Amino acid sequence: MERVSDQPTPTLDLTADVVTLTEQLVDIESVSRGEQVIADAVEAALSAYDHLTLTRRGHTIVARTELGRPERVILAGHLDTVPVNDNLPSRNDGDYLHGLGTSDMKGGDAVILKLAATLPEPNRDVTYVLYEAEEIEAVHNGLNKLAQSDPELLEADFAILMESSRAEVEAGCQGTLRVEVRTTGERAHSARSWTGRNAIHAAGPILATLNAYEPRRPVIDGLEYREGLNAVGIRGGVAGNVLPDVCVVTVNYRFAPDRSEEEALAHLRELFAGYDVTVTDSSPGALPGLERPAAKEFLAAVGAEVSPKFGWTDVARFSALGIPAVNYGPGDAEYAHKKDEKVLISRIHRCEQALRAWLGGDA
Amino acid sequence: MERVSDQPTPTLDLTADVVTLTEQLVDIESVSRGEQVIADAVEAALSAYDHLTLTRRGHTIVARTELGRPERVILAGHLDTVPVNDNLPSRNDGDYLHGLGTSDMKGGDAVILKLAATLPEPNRDVTYVLYEAEEIEAVHNGLNKLAQSDPELLEADFAILMESSRAEVEAGCQGTLRVEVRTTGERAHSARSWTGRNAIHAAGPILATLNAYEPRRPVIDGLEYREGLNAVGIRGGVAGNVLPDVCVVTVNYRFAPDRSEEEALAHLRELFAGYDVTVTDSSPGALPGLERPAAKEFLAAVGAEVSPKFGWTDVARFSALGIPAVNYGPGDAEYAHKKDEKVLISRIHRCEQALRAWLGGDA
């Protein structure tokens, strides 16, 4: 999106209290495809620090320490929000910070920026990534684009995506596969139904299969994932007096990260053998990768509960690059995309302190 | 519809050959709600005959003999057609008459008008009915309106509706009942499907019931009726990642005329016990009534095959008035509502001759 005015770039104070910094970020409107101003502000603020090497691609900013440490970790957050819903500017009630983006995910962004500014010599090299367009189609996603344009900037041993997880650790994520299972028949006037074949009736066994399905609950790195196989749509029908010749059941399979996309699809093709199965959408899961040293030390440092991530997040992009990744951020997914979005202030502080300690700073 | 010009009313020659008369009728465009001109022409032509008592209601014309015969029969046909589809004027190829309304049902109308004009003293009193708006919603249907405004005009012992039946007799008609069978559930994100209940999955047993259903084939007055129970529509789905909370299956039950609408509905409520069942459309069937003397003599006179009528027609309106009725007309339902509509000329003649013989005229 083109810059539409010559207003000065807002100033971010990266040394302020992380909640104050969150407020500053929230008060810069940054709906997806409108991240120019916030990206300019982030770039300007980070450029004041000589210990960081900056790269900008579109409205995605990468800041790296170059200390030659044996290990490198990524802290990442997206700068965009869903559309405004009469929930700006921010409001601080002492316990919660209210407003669009407080949970999803400017509280996490503030932690990233504060650490980037105030940790000149972390004990591991750190790559800080603030990216655009996470809330819309993947083709616009800044992390996705960066992985294609500058994959070397994303090389790391471990990644933390500061998506909403209530300051707990959500490891890995499940994959998602969406298929259309189609039945066919022959149209006929419903008054002479024996001259046709009803495609909706033919979908009965598909629903029976879904009803009888027992989802797997595999344990991976000590975490139990719960799969799910669900019809999320069904459609069929020509007219009130016609036997329909087509019925389409849209099925969404959420699969644990011990299965690849190919294995997930093979499973569905086996379940729905004999039916026309068409893939409409597929994204891989991400293994938790909690056995890596960087991950183990992270878990020890933050001392937080670890649970599996069921929804799909950008941690899967890191996983696709071979980088173990977790969700760990102050926000609460329950409030994301809601008009009454808010974040518990104590969780922003907790995340900052835990990560600072892990990276060798004063807790 | 208001008369939009002061063009003279077209002249119909009711003593011409019945095929010529069919051509004249076809060439007067009379799409539903546009029957003024053809109704004026019919009224003008019939008014020349002193042996007929005319009544007009809207664009519906009733012509009655008043001979004091012990028995009265109705010959009825609708004057309207579906919309023009580049299939006017008529074209006679020697075997077929082509054009909009040839089958549905101006060939039948021509037979009615020719008999009305040329049988001054039929052996039974005859009520000839040419009515408007059969092809659209029942509220506009001329026969329906006449039954409400002037029921005495429709008193009779037997009725022949000259709808397309290939010059064979189709007796009675099946009823039709349409219901929505609804399941409910609880929405949930498909990544956490165990927190919800899937309404589409809940529709599985409905489709299983439909699949297992064995339609009745009752024999009534020697005719075997074949019922049918079919899903004609199904819909459900909120978004690609949401368990749907509602699924609706639209079911059409075509029931034999030994069942009333109430019995048909009770049957569906029993089949789908435990589900929300809502009626969206219901029309009764019509018993063939072939045991009545007028019907028996008609069958003997026309010497045609008798079969059950599966589709719904206005014979059911006569049945609702307590008048046994049959479909008997020269058209072919296979060509009705099609661009290439046509009627076999020999069938128009055959219908005229058979009815003339039955009514005591020279065959």
Side-chain angles (χ1 to χ4, degrees):
Chain A
M1 181 175 281
E2 294 297 306
R3 187 70 179 275
V4 291
S5 79
D6 54 2
Q7 288 178 349
T9 298
T11 302
L12 298 172
D13 179 1
L14 304 190
T15 60
D17 180 85
V18 70
V19 176
T20 304
L21 181 53
T22 304
E23 289 177 28
Q24 290 174 7
L25 289 167
V26 170
D27 291 344
I28 303 173
E29 185 181 315
S30 61
V31 177
S32 306
R33 310 292 277 160
E35 301 99 329
Q36 166 102 41
V37 175
I38 199 168
D40 288 352
V42 165
E43 182 182 16
L46 288 172
S47 66
Y49 298 94
D50 289 342
H51 66 273
L52 298 172
T53 303
L54 292 197
T55 306
R56 176 163 178 166
R57 295 284 181 267
H59 302 319
T60 294
I61 317 288
V62 182
R64 294 158 57 94
T65 63
E66 305 278 6
L67 299 166
R69 306 289 196 227
E71 197 176 67
R72 176 174 288 280
V73 297
I74 292 174
L75 295 186
H78 62 81
L79 292 170
D80 63 320
T81 69
V82 296
V84 183
N85 188 9
D86 197 22
N87 48 6
L88 283 182
S90 62
R91 180 173 60 85
N92 186 328
D93 72 9
D95 294 319
Y96 285 95
L97 185 64
H98 301 259
L100 175 63
T102 48
S103 247
D104 188 15
M105 56 172 287
K106 291 180 177 175
D109 294 337
V111 171
I112 293 169
L113 289 169
K114 179 87 186 277
L115 294 173
T118 60
L119 278 177
E121 295 197 343
N123 57 3
R124 341 172 120 77
D125 269 314
V126 186
T127 302
Y128 303 97
V129 182
L130 286 305
Y131 63 101
E132 63 182 329
E134 190 271 347
E135 299 288 5
I136 55 176
E137 299 79 19
V139 67
H140 302 296
N141 183 299
L143 195 62
N144 189 27
K145 286 158 78 172
L146 198 63
Q148 290 166 30
S149 66
D150 302 81
E152 70 285 357
L153 288 180
L154 292 178
E155 285 172 5
D157 300 287
F158 183 55
I160 296 166
L161 184 65
M162 297 202 66
E163 280 278 14
S164 302
S165 70
R166 294 186 281 198
E168 295 176 3
V169 178
E170 293 181 339
C173 79
Q174 299 208 130
T176 176
L177 172 61
R178 214 166 275 115
V179 299
E180 291 187 344
V181 186
R182 189 177 305 259
T183 62
T184 53
E186 276 178 45
R187 288 193 193 186
H189 195 292
S190 62
R192 295 176 172 273
S193 52
W194 57 93
T195 65
R197 283 184 301 116
N198 192 317
I200 294 177
H201 295 197
I206 296 171
L207 300 192
T209 296
L210 291 168
N211 265 322
Y213 189 76
E214 292 282 351
R216 294 193 313 142
R217 297 172 75 155
V219 175
I220 307 167
D221 284 3
L223 302 177
E224 184 188 65
Y225 286 83
R226 296 184 66 165
E227 297 196 336
L229 183 70
N230 275 277
V232 291
I234 190 167
R235 62 180 192 275
V238 175
N241 59 356
V242 175
L243 264 67
D245 53 353
V246 175
C247 182
V248 178
V249 186
T250 303
V251 173
N252 185 207
Y253 179 33
R254 298 285 175 151
F255 54 96
D258 62 339
R259 270 193 175 161
S260 68
E261 289 174 275
E262 293 70 27
E263 289 166 342
L265 178 56
H267 179 56
L268 293 200
R269 288 201 188 282
E270 187 181 345
L271 267 179
F272 299 116
Y275 296 95
D276 177 32
V277 173
T278 310
V279 175
T280 60
D281 189 34
S282 178
S283 298
L287 285 165
L290 298 180
E291 299 308 306
R292 295 244 189 147
K296 281 188 167 171
E297 287 179 39
F298 166 74
L299 292 177
V302 303
E305 290 271 331
V306 183
S307 59
K309 183 73 177 176
F310 296 112
W312 196 91
T313 77
D314 272 337
V315 299
R317 297 196 195 282
F318 290 112
S319 185
L321 295 169
I323 307 166
V326 297
N327 289 285
Y328 175 68
D332 186 337
E334 194 178 324
Y335 295 111
H337 303 194
K338 301 257 173 83
K339 186 173 180 174
D340 64 346
E341 183 172 348
K342 61 185 177 180
V343 64
L344 198 54
I345 286 169
S346 60
R347 287 184 179 147
I348 308 179
H349 285 129
R350 195 185 320 152
C351 283
E352 184 202 351
Q353 289 155 11
L355 290 174
R356 185 180 296 282
W358 177 55
L359 293 172
D362 298 325
Chain B
M1 182 176 281
E2 292 298 305
R3 186 73 178 275
V4 289
S5 80
D6 54 0
Q7 288 177 348
T9 297
T11 302
L12 297 172
D13 179 2
L14 304 190
T15 59
D17 179 86
V18 70
V19 176
T20 303
L21 180 53
T22 304
E23 289 176 26
Q24 291 174 5
L25 289 167
V26 170
D27 292 343
I28 303 173
E29 185 181 316
S30 61
V31 177
S32 308
R33 311 293 275 158
E35 301 99 332
Q36 167 102 41
V37 175
I38 199 168
D40 288 352
V42 166
E43 183 182 14
L46 288 172
S47 66
Y49 298 93
D50 288 342
H51 65 272
L52 298 172
T53 304
L54 292 197
T55 307
R56 176 163 178 166
R57 295 285 182 265
H59 302 319
T60 295
I61 316 290
V62 181
R64 295 159 55 93
T65 64
E66 306 278 6
L67 300 165
R69 306 288 194 227
E71 195 176 67
R72 175 175 287 279
V73 298
I74 293 175
L75 295 186
H78 61 82
L79 292 170
D80 63 321
T81 69
V82 295
V84 183
N85 188 10
D86 195 22
N87 49 6
L88 281 183
S90 61
R91 179 172 61 85
N92 187 326
D93 72 8
D95 294 319
Y96 285 94
L97 185 65
H98 301 259
L100 176 63
T102 48
S103 249
D104 188 15
M105 58 174 284
K106 291 179 176 176
D109 295 337
V111 172
I112 293 169
L113 290 169
K114 179 88 187 275
L115 293 174
T118 59
L119 279 177
E121 295 196 344
N123 56 4
R124 337 171 124 79
D125 269 314
V126 187
T127 303
Y128 303 96
V129 181
L130 286 305
Y131 64 100
E132 64 182 330
E134 190 270 349
E135 298 288 4
I136 55 175
E137 301 77 21
V139 67
H140 303 295
N141 183 300
L143 195 64
N144 189 27
K145 285 157 78 172
L146 198 64
Q148 290 167 30
S149 66
D150 301 82
E152 70 285 358
L153 288 181
L154 292 177
E155 284 171 8
D157 301 286
F158 183 56
I160 295 167
L161 184 65
M162 296 201 68
E163 280 278 16
S164 301
S165 71
R166 294 187 283 196
E168 294 176 3
V169 179
E170 294 181 339
C173 80
Q174 299 206 131
T176 177
L177 172 61
R178 213 167 275 113
V179 299
E180 290 187 344
V181 186
R182 188 176 306 258
T183 62
T184 53
E186 276 177 44
R187 287 193 194 186
H189 195 292
S190 62
R192 295 177 171 273
S193 53
W194 57 92
T195 64
R197 283 184 300 115
N198 192 317
I200 294 177
H201 295 197
I206 296 170
L207 300 192
T209 296
L210 291 168
N211 265 321
Y213 189 76
E214 292 282 350
R216 294 195 313 143
R217 297 173 75 156
V219 175
I220 307 167
D221 282 5
L223 302 178
E224 184 188 63
Y225 285 83
R226 295 184 67 164
E227 296 196 336
L229 183 69
N230 275 277
V232 290
I234 190 166
R235 63 181 193 273
V238 175
N241 58 356
V242 175
L243 265 68
D245 53 352
V246 175
C247 183
V248 179
V249 186
T250 304
V251 173
N252 185 208
Y253 179 32
R254 298 285 176 149
F255 54 96
D258 61 339
R259 272 195 172 158
S260 69
E261 289 173 275
E262 294 70 27
E263 289 166 339
L265 179 56
H267 179 56
L268 293 200
R269 288 201 188 283
E270 187 182 345
L271 267 180
F272 300 115
Y275 297 94
D276 177 33
V277 173
T278 310
V279 175
T280 61
D281 189 34
S282 178
S283 298
L287 286 165
L290 298 180
E291 301 306 307
R292 298 246 188 143
K296 281 188 167 172
E297 288 180 39
F298 166 75
L299 292 177
V302 301
E305 289 274 328
V306 182
S307 60
K309 181 73 177 176
F310 296 112
W312 196 91
T313 77
D314 272 337
V315 299
R317 298 195 196 283
F318 289 112
S319 185
L321 295 169
I323 306 166
V326 297
N327 290 286
Y328 176 69
D332 186 336
E334 194 178 322
Y335 295 110
H337 302 195
K338 301 257 173 83
K339 186 174 179 173
D340 63 347
E341 182 172 349
K342 61 185 178 181
V343 65
L344 197 55
I345 286 169
S346 59
R347 287 183 179 147
I348 307 179
H349 286 128
R350 194 184 323 152
C351 282
E352 184 202 350
Q353 288 156 12
L355 290 174
R356 185 180 297 281
W358 176 55
L359 293 173
D362 298 324

